[in-house]
Amino acid sequence: MPTATPLSRVNDFVVRFANVNGSGSASANEMFARAILRMGIPVAPRNIFPSNIQGLPTWYEVRVTEDGHLGARGGTDLMVAMNPQTFDKDIASIEPGGYLLYDSTKPYPPSKFRDDITVIGVPLTAICNREYTDPRQRQLFKNIIYIGVLTALLELDVAAVEQLIAEQYKGKDKLIGPNVKALHIGRDYAILNLAHPIGLRLRKTDKVGDKIFVEGNSAAALGAVYGGATVCAWYPITPSSSLADAFTKWCAKYRVDPETRRAKYAIVQAEDELASIGMVIGAAWNGARSFTATSGPGISLMQEFIGLAYFAEIPAVIFNVQRAGPSTGMPTRTQQCDLISCAYASHGDTKHVMIFPENPAEAFEMGAMAFDLADRLQTPVFVMLDLEIGMNHHLCRPFQWDDSRTYDRGKVMTYEELEAGKDFGRYLDVDGDGIPYRTYPGTHPTKGSFFTRGTSRDRYAKYTEEGGPYVDNMQRLLRKFETAKDIVPKPLIANAAKPSKYGVIYFGSTAPAMDEAIHMIEARGHGLDRMRLRGFPFHSSVNSFVADHDFVFVVEQNRDAQLRSLIVNECGIDPVRLVPILHFDGTPITARYIAKAIGDHLDQMTMKPAKVTS
Amino acid sequence: MTYLAKPKFHHPGLPKNELGYTHRDYEGTVSTLCAGCGHDSITGAIIQACFELAIEPHRVAKISGIGCSSKTPTYFLGNSHGFNSVHGRMPSVLTGANLANRDLIYLGVSGDGDSASIGLGQFAHCLRRGVNMTYIVENNGVYGLTKGQFSATADRGSKSKRGVINTDNSIDMVAMALQLGATFVARSFSGDKQQLVPIIKAAIAHKGAAFLDVISPCVAFNNHAGSTKSFDFVREHNEAVNRLDFISTRMPIELQQEPGTVEIVEQHDGSKVALRKLDADYEVHDRAAALGFLQHHAAKGQIVTGLLFVEKESEDLHAHLHTVDKPLNALGTKDLCPGSAALDAFNASMR
Ligand SMILES: Cc1ncc(C[n+]2csc(CCOP(=O)(O)OP(=O)(O)O)c2C)c(N)n1
Ligand code: SF4
């Protein structure tokens, strides 16, 4: 009998599967998460995987969350420990009162286990050896068998799993029967031999509604399709490769001319990041919407070209799926660590537009919007994703599209306008917003052609090394950046129930954890106003938000408080007013972490000094 | 040649091509290169070729990297869009531009420093992809703009202006282009307009990756005794494989037909190139033979010029990617956006 009371919770717990990379567990584990969704219970799953293909430890975590808290929670309530290599560590990470499900084929001495958890042994290997002769089948069906065991332990809807098996193997019908059989082998074993259900249980509800379950990279890629991207040039790198893969898939589905079967898109796997951004720039210069998807090391390589695009004013879209750096850092772990390298990418005075989606729904919307923004502003636009959003499935609102929307191609002077004698100066600020007109190559036989270059030029694109025109141009680029402040998505503000002296600023994948943390902080007796940033340059409301509070926490997932630095630098705010809350171990930030860090701080701030009597 | 200030008026007697354009319509701004720079002669040859082909100047996109050679697009086709990109990376910019609009003519201009050192990777990959373009390297064996360092095409044993002997092996970009699968490979000499102009014309008409290496002496840094890229050296060691006349379908066919010595090369777009071989056993469609020929003469210290190889049935990147005929940059919201109904179905499939 465990020394801690076994956990007893319905629709609110964390299950973690510890597996070996390459053992085929991913699809079984994902099926587990989806089956819970089909019961109407929200889930937040996360893949934690190494930078190798086979043999190293991998984990899949499913947070079951009737309240819809989609950020990582931290801690594990039920560990399905299938990897001997990490067995001890996995046991250590279980919450007091939690549960361990393990393969008991080879018995372990009781000293292996903790006495404050419930240990559930199933001789999985023995069962598989008895049922199957083929070694690959023994491995693969083991995964389905433990899912079967869980249907009994947690009261997971077995019909939902069967349905998912049928959907997964549609077209390969021969595989359905054996998988369903394996599922029931596990379930029957549990019913006959184990105390079931355990304290953690699933109960049907209706909290999922019309939400969809989708990966961020896939969503962003669909956004690029809807946003009218026709040219994609990319170079493989985790965690952004799946974005290019998804674009390829969605294009094949949505962008093939029905009559000729020919492609209304071009995708090139370039020889490196230098070439991929070069192609994007060439295509955008020539009037196609184009993008690349990359991660930190790719951004490093693209620097020179990004500066060219800024100075020559070419609309390039760059999806940066951030991972832990510097250098190769932790290539399969998440961070928000490229803010500064993207904001000021390249040499000389540069500033770039960034947008920050919080989840796949925004990755879709902002993925599409990025192309309008880039065309309007004629400048590179970074869509700042990270591994947490990009490579995990997230439950989010369904995607929407307004059919009356047409692409905003920005200021492009047409043949007719040139014919009509409109003054065309490539770098003329006709409208005072810093954004000049451009022409696409080939527009007119005698008017509107110009030379694009990274060297300085006058307003009519004529090469010059004179200081005056250079300064004029650089100042106009700043005016354009000002214009961008009102065009990029505005920050979203949510106020505490009662007026608060304190605020918090955060962005991107921190949002779900923040949404949850705010309740935990409230429970500690503190109110906190929230501002979620969605675009850079920062909107003027950032200044007023900070001014309205005694101080503001800035929560981000990097070591050097890059967002805080950007706010200080761009908004001219006294750094003392901004308290950094930093998380950068490569795991997604959790509500617990934020609540503790901010809560402790606020406790201290609001603590009354004890009266000293002499 | 360095252009002097250009006359403002067209001389009424200037010859016109079939579009009614004069030579002057194919010029750009005044060159700022050194007087006598080989690159200016190449500029002149490009102007001549485009004039003779009666190309609409604005239908050409001229793209370059960084270097003296890469500055030249400013000096020709003043009515076309140009893009002076970054050092060594013209090929990727050109590839992207070509993907966006397959209907324009793409002229990539680069230097040997630009293409054989920092840009070697991009040079290689755009040729193997078969981008439809004319890729011209203005090859002087030195870095001109940064004042005379050896480039990777400088021959081993050649001497720099400062007296340094090059101990590194040189890269033969023509041999590389042949190996990389370029479907049109030629070499010429900036001083030999008679040979250069038709080769440029043929390269422009070629559908696919056309590579053209033009030996272009640098008067400032590489035209001295000891250099293997000087005027005198090249004149002495030039072994021309053939002379070439270009005939587009819009022009009357004029051929000096000497039976047995003339070969008509049918281009993919229907236009024809007539070759007059000087070398009786030279076969222009044999990639391996071209390489052998090149290396055989290189071993003798000779530079082979002329059209070395043309592939009969060449294809370009758009054919490989199976893209639609309409330029991608001309597709609008209607062509590209799957719309809300498709999105509803997508949402439903994600539950
Ligand atoms: C990234 C980068 N590195 C170095 C340079 C300096 N640079 C300018 S031109 C040039 C060499 C040009 O040589 P080549 O391409 O042979 O052209 P040429 O001037 O001889 O015609 C170099 C190294 C640069 N512009 N950018
Ligand atoms: S330095 Fe050489 S390559 Fe450059 S312009 Fe002068 S002669 Fe030409």
Side-chain angles (χ1 to χ4, degrees), chain A residues 210 213 226 255 262-265 271 275 279 282-283 286-287 304 399 401 403 407 439 442 445 449-450 452, chain B residues 58-59 78 81-82 84 89 92 96-97 106 122 129 322-325 329 333 335-336 339-340 343 347 350-351:
Chain A
D210 68 347
F213 191 58
Y226 271 74
R255 281 280 191 74
R262 283 162 70 184
K264 290 190 269 183
Y265 59 90
E271 58 269 31
M279 289 178 204
N286 211 0
E304 187 188 13
F399 303 165
W401 190 262
D403 284 326
Y407 300 143
T439 52
S449 72
F450 65 93
T452 303
Chain B
H58 75 292
R59 303 300 298 167
H81 278 62
N84 199 182
R89 266 125 324 138
S92 62
Y106 292 92
Q122 296 215 339
R129 285 194 184 99
H322 212 55
T323 46
V324 288
D325 284 337
N329 72 350
T333 314
D335 303 298
L336 299 176
S340 65
L343 200 57
N347 285 327
M350 293 288 142
R351 290 189 177 117

Short mmCIF file of all heavy atoms in Angstrom, two decimals, chain A residues 210 213 226 255 262-265 271 275 279 282-283 286-287 304 399 401 403 407 439 442 445 449-450 452, chain B residues 58-59 78 81-82 84 89 92 96-97 106 122 129 322-325 329 333 335-336 339-340 343 347 350-351:
data_model
loop_
_atom_site.label_atom_id
_atom_site.label_comp_id
_atom_site.label_asym_id
_atom_site.label_seq_id
_atom_site.Cartn_x
_atom_site.Cartn_y
_atom_site.Cartn_z
N ASP A 210 -16.37 22.19 -31.15
CA ASP A 210 -15.97 22.09 -32.56
C ASP A 210 -14.47 22.31 -32.74
O ASP A 210 -13.99 22.54 -33.84
CB ASP A 210 -16.78 23.08 -33.42
CG ASP A 210 -16.41 24.53 -33.10
OD1 ASP A 210 -15.72 24.77 -32.06
OD2 ASP A 210 -16.80 25.43 -33.86
N PHE A 213 -7.81 19.54 -33.83
CA PHE A 213 -6.59 19.02 -33.21
C PHE A 213 -5.53 18.98 -34.31
O PHE A 213 -5.61 18.15 -35.21
CB PHE A 213 -6.92 17.62 -32.69
CG PHE A 213 -5.88 17.01 -31.81
CD1 PHE A 213 -5.48 17.65 -30.64
CD2 PHE A 213 -5.35 15.75 -32.10
CE1 PHE A 213 -4.54 17.05 -29.79
CE2 PHE A 213 -4.42 15.15 -31.26
CZ PHE A 213 -4.02 15.80 -30.11
N TYR A 226 -3.31 29.42 -48.16
CA TYR A 226 -4.43 30.37 -48.21
C TYR A 226 -3.94 31.80 -48.47
O TYR A 226 -4.62 32.58 -49.12
CB TYR A 226 -5.26 30.30 -46.92
CG TYR A 226 -6.34 29.25 -47.02
CD1 TYR A 226 -6.03 27.90 -46.96
CD2 TYR A 226 -7.68 29.60 -47.23
CE1 TYR A 226 -7.01 26.93 -47.10
CE2 TYR A 226 -8.67 28.64 -47.37
CZ TYR A 226 -8.33 27.31 -47.30
OH TYR A 226 -9.31 26.35 -47.46
N ARG A 255 -3.73 22.89 -54.75
CA ARG A 255 -3.16 23.81 -55.72
C ARG A 255 -2.80 23.19 -57.06
O ARG A 255 -1.94 23.70 -57.77
CB ARG A 255 -1.89 24.42 -55.13
CG ARG A 255 -2.16 25.52 -54.14
CD ARG A 255 -2.47 26.81 -54.89
NE ARG A 255 -2.45 27.90 -53.96
CZ ARG A 255 -1.33 28.42 -53.46
NH1 ARG A 255 -0.16 27.96 -53.83
NH2 ARG A 255 -1.40 29.40 -52.60
N ARG A 262 -1.38 20.32 -63.48
CA ARG A 262 -0.09 20.97 -63.25
C ARG A 262 -0.12 21.88 -62.02
O ARG A 262 -1.18 22.28 -61.56
CB ARG A 262 0.34 21.71 -64.51
CG ARG A 262 0.88 20.69 -65.51
CD ARG A 262 0.94 21.21 -66.88
NE ARG A 262 1.97 22.22 -67.02
CZ ARG A 262 2.16 22.90 -68.14
NH1 ARG A 262 1.41 22.66 -69.19
NH2 ARG A 262 3.09 23.81 -68.21
N ALA A 263 1.07 22.16 -61.51
CA ALA A 263 1.20 22.79 -60.20
C ALA A 263 1.08 24.31 -60.28
O ALA A 263 1.74 24.95 -61.11
CB ALA A 263 2.53 22.41 -59.59
N LYS A 264 0.26 24.87 -59.40
CA LYS A 264 0.20 26.33 -59.28
C LYS A 264 1.12 26.77 -58.13
O LYS A 264 0.76 27.59 -57.30
CB LYS A 264 -1.24 26.77 -59.03
CG LYS A 264 -2.13 26.56 -60.25
CD LYS A 264 -3.48 27.22 -60.09
CE LYS A 264 -4.46 26.25 -59.49
NZ LYS A 264 -5.82 26.81 -59.36
N TYR A 265 2.28 26.15 -58.09
CA TYR A 265 3.25 26.44 -57.04
C TYR A 265 4.58 25.85 -57.45
O TYR A 265 4.63 24.99 -58.35
CB TYR A 265 2.81 25.82 -55.70
CG TYR A 265 2.66 24.32 -55.77
CD1 TYR A 265 3.74 23.48 -55.49
CD2 TYR A 265 1.46 23.75 -56.15
CE1 TYR A 265 3.61 22.11 -55.58
CE2 TYR A 265 1.33 22.38 -56.24
CZ TYR A 265 2.39 21.56 -55.96
OH TYR A 265 2.26 20.20 -56.07
N GLU A 271 20.00 24.10 -51.80
CA GLU A 271 21.25 23.47 -51.37
C GLU A 271 21.67 23.93 -49.98
O GLU A 271 22.48 23.27 -49.33
CB GLU A 271 22.38 23.73 -52.38
CG GLU A 271 22.70 25.19 -52.64
CD GLU A 271 21.90 25.76 -53.82
OE1 GLU A 271 20.76 25.31 -54.04
OE2 GLU A 271 22.41 26.66 -54.50
N ALA A 275 20.84 29.79 -50.24
CA ALA A 275 20.11 29.69 -51.50
C ALA A 275 18.61 29.79 -51.26
O ALA A 275 17.90 30.40 -52.06
CB ALA A 275 20.45 28.38 -52.19
N MET A 279 16.40 32.52 -53.19
CA MET A 279 15.29 32.20 -54.11
C MET A 279 14.01 32.93 -53.69
O MET A 279 13.26 33.42 -54.54
CB MET A 279 15.03 30.69 -54.12
CG MET A 279 16.11 29.92 -54.83
SD MET A 279 15.77 28.15 -54.76
CE MET A 279 17.43 27.52 -54.98
N GLY A 282 14.43 36.48 -54.82
CA GLY A 282 14.30 36.59 -56.28
C GLY A 282 12.85 36.48 -56.71
O GLY A 282 12.37 37.25 -57.55
N ALA A 283 12.15 35.52 -56.13
CA ALA A 283 10.74 35.31 -56.52
C ALA A 283 9.88 36.49 -56.09
O ALA A 283 9.02 36.96 -56.84
CB ALA A 283 10.23 34.01 -55.90
N ASN A 286 10.22 39.44 -58.13
CA ASN A 286 9.55 39.25 -59.41
C ASN A 286 8.04 39.09 -59.24
O ASN A 286 7.36 38.61 -60.14
CB ASN A 286 10.14 38.02 -60.11
CG ASN A 286 10.12 38.13 -61.61
OD1 ASN A 286 9.67 39.14 -62.17
ND2 ASN A 286 10.60 37.10 -62.28
N GLY A 287 7.52 39.44 -58.07
CA GLY A 287 6.07 39.51 -57.91
C GLY A 287 5.35 38.26 -57.47
O GLY A 287 4.12 38.24 -57.47
N GLU A 304 22.92 38.01 -44.40
CA GLU A 304 23.30 39.00 -45.40
C GLU A 304 22.14 39.28 -46.36
O GLU A 304 21.84 40.44 -46.69
CB GLU A 304 24.52 38.51 -46.19
CG GLU A 304 25.07 39.57 -47.13
CD GLU A 304 26.16 39.05 -48.05
OE1 GLU A 304 26.34 37.82 -48.15
OE2 GLU A 304 26.83 39.88 -48.68
N PHE A 399 -10.24 26.76 -38.06
CA PHE A 399 -9.73 27.85 -38.90
C PHE A 399 -10.90 28.47 -39.67
O PHE A 399 -11.85 27.78 -40.03
CB PHE A 399 -8.70 27.33 -39.90
CG PHE A 399 -7.52 26.64 -39.28
CD1 PHE A 399 -6.67 25.86 -40.05
CD2 PHE A 399 -7.25 26.77 -37.92
CE1 PHE A 399 -5.58 25.22 -39.48
CE2 PHE A 399 -6.16 26.14 -37.34
CZ PHE A 399 -5.32 25.35 -38.13
N TRP A 401 -12.02 31.39 -42.86
CA TRP A 401 -11.58 32.19 -43.99
C TRP A 401 -12.76 32.98 -44.54
O TRP A 401 -13.85 32.43 -44.71
CB TRP A 401 -11.01 31.30 -45.10
CG TRP A 401 -10.35 32.10 -46.16
CD1 TRP A 401 -10.88 32.48 -47.35
CD2 TRP A 401 -9.04 32.68 -46.09
NE1 TRP A 401 -9.98 33.23 -48.05
CE2 TRP A 401 -8.84 33.38 -47.30
CE3 TRP A 401 -8.03 32.68 -45.13
CZ2 TRP A 401 -7.66 34.06 -47.56
CZ3 TRP A 401 -6.86 33.35 -45.39
CH2 TRP A 401 -6.68 34.04 -46.59
N ASP A 403 -14.41 34.54 -47.56
CA ASP A 403 -14.28 34.39 -49.01
C ASP A 403 -14.26 35.71 -49.77
O ASP A 403 -13.90 35.74 -50.95
CB ASP A 403 -15.39 33.49 -49.55
CG ASP A 403 -15.12 32.03 -49.23
OD1 ASP A 403 -13.93 31.64 -49.22
OD2 ASP A 403 -16.08 31.28 -48.99
N TYR A 407 -6.13 39.22 -51.91
CA TYR A 407 -4.78 39.50 -51.44
C TYR A 407 -4.44 40.97 -51.59
O TYR A 407 -4.74 41.59 -52.60
CB TYR A 407 -3.76 38.65 -52.21
CG TYR A 407 -3.98 37.17 -52.04
CD1 TYR A 407 -3.78 36.28 -53.09
CD2 TYR A 407 -4.43 36.65 -50.82
CE1 TYR A 407 -3.99 34.93 -52.93
CE2 TYR A 407 -4.64 35.30 -50.65
CZ TYR A 407 -4.43 34.44 -51.71
OH TYR A 407 -4.64 33.11 -51.55
N THR A 439 7.46 48.18 -59.15
CA THR A 439 6.90 47.60 -60.37
C THR A 439 7.48 46.21 -60.48
O THR A 439 8.58 45.95 -60.00
CB THR A 439 7.33 48.38 -61.63
OG1 THR A 439 8.74 48.51 -61.62
CG2 THR A 439 6.68 49.75 -61.71
N GLY A 442 9.24 43.52 -66.26
CA GLY A 442 8.49 43.21 -67.47
C GLY A 442 7.19 43.97 -67.63
O GLY A 442 6.41 43.70 -68.54
N PRO A 445 7.37 48.64 -71.54
CA PRO A 445 8.57 48.69 -72.39
C PRO A 445 9.52 49.85 -72.07
O PRO A 445 10.73 49.71 -72.20
CB PRO A 445 8.02 48.86 -73.80
CG PRO A 445 6.59 48.54 -73.73
CD PRO A 445 6.14 48.73 -72.31
N SER A 449 10.99 50.68 -65.17
CA SER A 449 12.04 49.73 -64.83
C SER A 449 13.01 50.41 -63.86
O SER A 449 13.14 51.64 -63.86
CB SER A 449 12.78 49.28 -66.09
OG SER A 449 13.58 50.32 -66.58
N PHE A 450 13.64 49.65 -63.03
CA PHE A 450 14.60 50.22 -62.09
C PHE A 450 15.60 49.15 -61.73
O PHE A 450 15.42 47.97 -62.05
CB PHE A 450 13.90 50.74 -60.83
CG PHE A 450 13.25 49.66 -60.02
CD1 PHE A 450 13.93 49.05 -58.98
CD2 PHE A 450 11.96 49.25 -60.30
CE1 PHE A 450 13.33 48.03 -58.25
CE2 PHE A 450 11.36 48.24 -59.57
CZ PHE A 450 12.05 47.63 -58.55
N THR A 452 17.60 47.16 -58.86
CA THR A 452 17.56 46.81 -57.44
C THR A 452 18.98 46.50 -57.00
O THR A 452 19.68 45.75 -57.67
CB THR A 452 16.68 45.57 -57.25
OG1 THR A 452 15.38 45.85 -57.78
CG2 THR A 452 16.55 45.22 -55.78
N HIS B 58 12.49 45.12 -72.08
CA HIS B 58 11.84 44.99 -70.77
C HIS B 58 11.41 43.57 -70.46
O HIS B 58 10.99 43.27 -69.35
CB HIS B 58 10.66 45.96 -70.66
CG HIS B 58 9.45 45.52 -71.43
ND1 HIS B 58 9.41 45.47 -72.79
CD2 HIS B 58 8.24 45.11 -70.99
CE1 HIS B 58 8.21 45.04 -73.18
NE2 HIS B 58 7.48 44.81 -72.10
N ARG B 59 11.54 42.68 -71.42
CA ARG B 59 11.21 41.27 -71.14
C ARG B 59 12.43 40.50 -70.61
O ARG B 59 12.38 39.28 -70.46
CB ARG B 59 10.69 40.57 -72.41
CG ARG B 59 9.49 41.22 -73.07
CD ARG B 59 8.27 41.29 -72.17
NE ARG B 59 7.78 39.98 -71.77
CZ ARG B 59 6.89 39.80 -70.79
NH1 ARG B 59 6.42 40.84 -70.11
NH2 ARG B 59 6.47 38.59 -70.47
N GLY B 78 18.82 49.26 -70.53
CA GLY B 78 18.36 50.22 -69.53
C GLY B 78 16.87 50.13 -69.22
O GLY B 78 16.44 50.58 -68.16
N HIS B 81 14.44 45.47 -65.82
CA HIS B 81 14.70 45.43 -64.39
C HIS B 81 16.02 44.70 -64.16
O HIS B 81 16.26 43.66 -64.77
CB HIS B 81 13.59 44.66 -63.66
CG HIS B 81 12.37 45.49 -63.38
ND1 HIS B 81 11.61 46.05 -64.35
CD2 HIS B 81 11.79 45.84 -62.20
CE1 HIS B 81 10.60 46.71 -63.80
NE2 HIS B 81 10.69 46.61 -62.49
N GLY B 82 16.81 45.24 -63.26
CA GLY B 82 18.06 44.58 -62.91
C GLY B 82 18.12 44.34 -61.41
O GLY B 82 17.42 45.00 -60.63
N ASN B 84 21.20 43.67 -58.67
CA ASN B 84 22.58 43.49 -58.25
C ASN B 84 22.51 42.95 -56.82
O ASN B 84 22.29 43.71 -55.89
CB ASN B 84 23.23 44.88 -58.29
CG ASN B 84 24.73 44.84 -58.32
OD1 ASN B 84 25.35 45.87 -58.31
ND2 ASN B 84 25.33 43.67 -58.36
N ARG B 89 25.82 35.07 -54.93
CA ARG B 89 24.52 34.42 -54.80
C ARG B 89 23.50 34.84 -55.85
O ARG B 89 22.30 34.74 -55.64
CB ARG B 89 23.99 34.57 -53.38
CG ARG B 89 24.36 33.38 -52.58
CD ARG B 89 25.13 33.52 -51.29
NE ARG B 89 26.13 34.48 -51.07
CZ ARG B 89 26.26 35.16 -49.95
NH1 ARG B 89 25.41 35.00 -48.99
NH2 ARG B 89 27.25 35.98 -49.79
N SER B 92 20.83 31.91 -56.93
CA SER B 92 19.58 31.63 -56.20
C SER B 92 18.55 32.72 -56.47
O SER B 92 17.36 32.43 -56.61
CB SER B 92 19.85 31.49 -54.70
OG SER B 92 20.36 32.69 -54.16
N GLY B 96 14.88 31.99 -58.12
CA GLY B 96 13.60 32.43 -57.55
C GLY B 96 12.82 33.28 -58.53
O GLY B 96 11.61 33.10 -58.73
N ALA B 97 13.53 34.21 -59.18
CA ALA B 97 12.86 35.09 -60.13
C ALA B 97 12.26 34.27 -61.26
O ALA B 97 11.10 34.48 -61.67
CB ALA B 97 13.85 36.11 -60.68
N TYR B 106 16.02 35.40 -68.68
CA TYR B 106 16.89 35.62 -67.52
C TYR B 106 18.35 35.60 -67.92
O TYR B 106 18.83 34.64 -68.50
CB TYR B 106 16.58 34.59 -66.43
CG TYR B 106 15.21 34.85 -65.88
CD1 TYR B 106 14.09 34.21 -66.42
CD2 TYR B 106 15.00 35.81 -64.90
CE1 TYR B 106 12.82 34.50 -65.96
CE2 TYR B 106 13.73 36.10 -64.44
CZ TYR B 106 12.65 35.45 -64.98
OH TYR B 106 11.40 35.76 -64.54
N GLN B 122 26.25 27.76 -55.35
CA GLN B 122 25.04 28.20 -56.06
C GLN B 122 25.20 28.04 -57.57
O GLN B 122 24.25 27.69 -58.27
CB GLN B 122 24.72 29.66 -55.71
CG GLN B 122 24.40 29.81 -54.23
CD GLN B 122 23.35 30.87 -53.96
OE1 GLN B 122 23.11 31.75 -54.77
NE2 GLN B 122 22.72 30.76 -52.81
N ARG B 129 19.92 22.15 -61.61
CA ARG B 129 18.45 22.23 -61.59
C ARG B 129 17.87 22.55 -62.97
O ARG B 129 16.68 22.44 -63.18
CB ARG B 129 18.00 23.34 -60.64
CG ARG B 129 18.13 22.95 -59.21
CD ARG B 129 17.38 23.87 -58.27
NE ARG B 129 17.68 23.43 -56.92
CZ ARG B 129 18.58 24.00 -56.14
NH1 ARG B 129 19.21 25.08 -56.52
NH2 ARG B 129 18.84 23.50 -54.95
N HIS B 322 6.77 20.72 -63.08
CA HIS B 322 5.44 20.53 -63.66
C HIS B 322 4.52 21.71 -63.35
O HIS B 322 3.34 21.54 -63.02
CB HIS B 322 4.84 19.24 -63.09
CG HIS B 322 3.95 18.54 -64.05
ND1 HIS B 322 4.35 18.18 -65.31
CD2 HIS B 322 2.66 18.13 -63.95
CE1 HIS B 322 3.37 17.60 -65.94
NE2 HIS B 322 2.32 17.55 -65.14
N THR B 323 5.06 22.90 -63.43
CA THR B 323 4.26 24.08 -63.10
C THR B 323 3.35 24.47 -64.27
O THR B 323 3.62 24.13 -65.42
CB THR B 323 5.17 25.28 -62.76
OG1 THR B 323 6.20 25.37 -63.75
CG2 THR B 323 5.82 25.14 -61.41
N VAL B 324 2.34 25.22 -63.93
CA VAL B 324 1.38 25.68 -64.94
C VAL B 324 2.06 26.66 -65.91
O VAL B 324 3.10 27.25 -65.59
CB VAL B 324 0.16 26.39 -64.30
CG1 VAL B 324 -0.73 25.37 -63.61
CG2 VAL B 324 0.59 27.48 -63.33
N ASP B 325 1.45 26.84 -67.08
CA ASP B 325 2.03 27.74 -68.08
C ASP B 325 2.00 29.20 -67.64
O ASP B 325 2.89 29.97 -67.91
CB ASP B 325 1.26 27.63 -69.41
CG ASP B 325 1.64 26.36 -70.15
OD1 ASP B 325 2.74 25.84 -69.88
OD2 ASP B 325 0.82 25.88 -70.96
N ASN B 329 3.53 34.48 -60.76
CA ASN B 329 3.28 35.83 -60.20
C ASN B 329 2.01 36.45 -60.78
O ASN B 329 1.58 37.51 -60.33
CB ASN B 329 4.49 36.76 -60.41
CG ASN B 329 4.68 37.19 -61.85
OD1 ASN B 329 4.03 36.67 -62.76
ND2 ASN B 329 5.58 38.14 -62.06
N THR B 333 -5.92 35.74 -56.18
CA THR B 333 -6.63 35.09 -55.08
C THR B 333 -7.48 33.93 -55.58
O THR B 333 -7.49 32.85 -55.00
CB THR B 333 -7.53 36.13 -54.36
OG1 THR B 333 -6.78 37.31 -54.15
CG2 THR B 333 -8.00 35.60 -53.02
N ASP B 335 -7.20 32.02 -58.17
CA ASP B 335 -6.44 30.83 -58.60
C ASP B 335 -5.81 30.11 -57.41
O ASP B 335 -5.55 28.92 -57.47
CB ASP B 335 -5.25 31.24 -59.49
CG ASP B 335 -5.69 32.02 -60.71
OD1 ASP B 335 -6.44 31.45 -61.50
OD2 ASP B 335 -5.28 33.20 -60.84
N LEU B 336 -5.53 30.86 -56.37
CA LEU B 336 -4.65 30.33 -55.33
C LEU B 336 -5.33 29.94 -54.04
O LEU B 336 -4.86 29.07 -53.32
CB LEU B 336 -3.55 31.35 -55.02
CG LEU B 336 -2.62 31.71 -56.19
CD1 LEU B 336 -1.65 32.80 -55.78
CD2 LEU B 336 -1.87 30.48 -56.67
N GLY B 339 -10.36 28.65 -50.39
CA GLY B 339 -11.67 29.15 -49.95
C GLY B 339 -12.22 28.48 -48.70
O GLY B 339 -11.67 27.51 -48.19
N SER B 340 -13.33 29.04 -48.21
CA SER B 340 -13.84 28.62 -46.89
C SER B 340 -14.46 27.23 -46.91
O SER B 340 -14.41 26.53 -45.91
CB SER B 340 -14.84 29.65 -46.37
OG SER B 340 -15.96 29.67 -47.21
N LEU B 343 -11.89 24.86 -46.34
CA LEU B 343 -11.39 24.98 -44.97
C LEU B 343 -12.33 24.27 -43.99
O LEU B 343 -11.88 23.66 -43.02
CB LEU B 343 -11.23 26.46 -44.62
CG LEU B 343 -10.31 26.76 -43.45
CD1 LEU B 343 -8.91 26.19 -43.68
CD2 LEU B 343 -10.22 28.26 -43.21
N ASN B 347 -11.24 21.47 -41.44
CA ASN B 347 -11.53 21.47 -40.00
C ASN B 347 -12.17 20.15 -39.59
O ASN B 347 -11.79 19.56 -38.58
CB ASN B 347 -12.46 22.62 -39.65
CG ASN B 347 -11.74 23.97 -39.65
OD1 ASN B 347 -10.57 24.04 -39.32
ND2 ASN B 347 -12.43 25.03 -40.04
N MET B 350 -9.93 17.29 -39.00
CA MET B 350 -8.95 17.43 -37.92
C MET B 350 -9.60 17.22 -36.55
O MET B 350 -9.13 17.76 -35.56
CB MET B 350 -8.31 18.83 -37.96
CG MET B 350 -7.45 19.06 -39.16
SD MET B 350 -5.93 18.11 -39.05
CE MET B 350 -5.71 17.63 -40.74
N ARG B 351 -10.68 16.46 -36.53
CA ARG B 351 -11.34 16.25 -35.23
C ARG B 351 -11.21 14.81 -34.78
O ARG B 351 -10.94 13.95 -35.57
CB ARG B 351 -12.81 16.65 -35.32
CG ARG B 351 -12.92 18.15 -35.46
CD ARG B 351 -14.34 18.65 -35.35
NE ARG B 351 -14.32 20.09 -35.43
CZ ARG B 351 -14.90 20.82 -36.40
NH1 ARG B 351 -15.60 20.21 -37.35
NH2 ARG B 351 -14.81 22.12 -36.41
#
